Amino acid sequence: MSGEEPTGGDTAGGDAVLRAIRTRRVVRALADAPVEPGQLRAVLDSARYAPHAGNRRLHRYVVVTRPGMLRAIRMVSPGMLQRPAAAIVVCVDWAGVRAYGFPESNPGPYVDVGTAAATMLMAAHGLGLGAGPVTSFSRAAVAVLLGAPDGVRPELIVCLGHPSPQQPPPVRRRGGPAWTDQVRWEHF
């Protein structure tokens, strides 16, 4: 079975979680309608259920809903293609990371940013909201806009809103290996 998946039946047939994972997409066109406060709180609250290394909670979350602030953040975020009704900026408290004795080269805080973002994206999808992550932005400019304290740096932005009925075509991978070429079982 060199590199092949073990045989077995499709156990994901009716599994709602796996169906949600398979149907979640990055939404690049959002409607102008505001996100309800309860929906926004539910998406934000989901981040606390994401795995965090050592459960240390070295992240800070800033919710942005004011249109002027969202426009300012978009101006310094070339990767923010959508016009969100709300955004959650995931920050790392690097001073806290150092206080725990971790070097800044430790990948744990970045992994935790990813797990929190993935959890929020799934929560948004489950609530019928459109969402998309943004990593291409000026961290320094967003930190200034948010008034982040020293040692706290924005690392990722989750854009939120109601999906527009008209979406741009999905970004398709051009060339490169197929998924099955990326996966091995037990060894390379």
Side-chain angles (χ1 to χ4, degrees), residues 77-100:
S77 303
M80 191 180 288
L81 304 177
Q82 58 275 81
R83 297 179 189 281
I88 299 173
V89 182
V90 183
C91 305
V92 173
D93 178 353
W94 289 105
V97 169
R98 285 188 297 279
Y100 271 108

Side-chain angles (χ1 to χ4, degrees), residues 98-116:
R98 285 188 297 279
Y100 271 108
F102 299 136
E104 284 202 30
S105 61
N106 182 313
Y110 293 112
V111 172
D112 292 351
V113 167
T115 61

Side-chain angles (χ1 to χ4, degrees), residues 31-165:
D32 290 335
V35 176
E36 295 296 321
Q39 290 177 309
L40 192 51
R41 276 191 290 280
V43 171
L44 179 63
D45 190 54
S46 73
R48 73 182 174 134
Y49 295 99
H52 290 81
N55 206 23
R56 289 186 174 91
R57 308 291 177 177
L58 297 169
H59 296 78
R60 304 297 175 261
Y61 302 86
V62 181
V63 180
V64 180
T65 59
R66 290 195 332 261
M69 180 64 87
L70 288 166
R71 279 192 302 277
I73 290 173
R74 273 191 91 239
M75 290 174 64
V76 297
S77 303
M80 191 180 288
L81 304 177
Q82 58 275 81
R83 297 179 189 281
I88 299 173
V89 182
V90 183
C91 305
V92 173
D93 178 353
W94 289 105
V97 169
R98 285 188 297 279
Y100 271 108
F102 299 136
E104 284 202 30
S105 61
N106 182 313
Y110 293 112
V111 172
D112 292 351
V113 167
T115 61
T119 303
M120 288 190 286
L121 292 170
M122 288 304 301
H125 178 61
L127 293 168
L129 295 172
V134 176
T135 58
S136 176
F137 63 94
S138 168
R139 281 145 180 76
V142 171
V144 168
L145 287 168
L146 298 177
D150 288 340
V152 175
R153 185 175 67 205
E155 299 294 348
L156 185 137
I157 302 170
V158 175
C159 295
L160 297 164
H162 296 278
S164 174

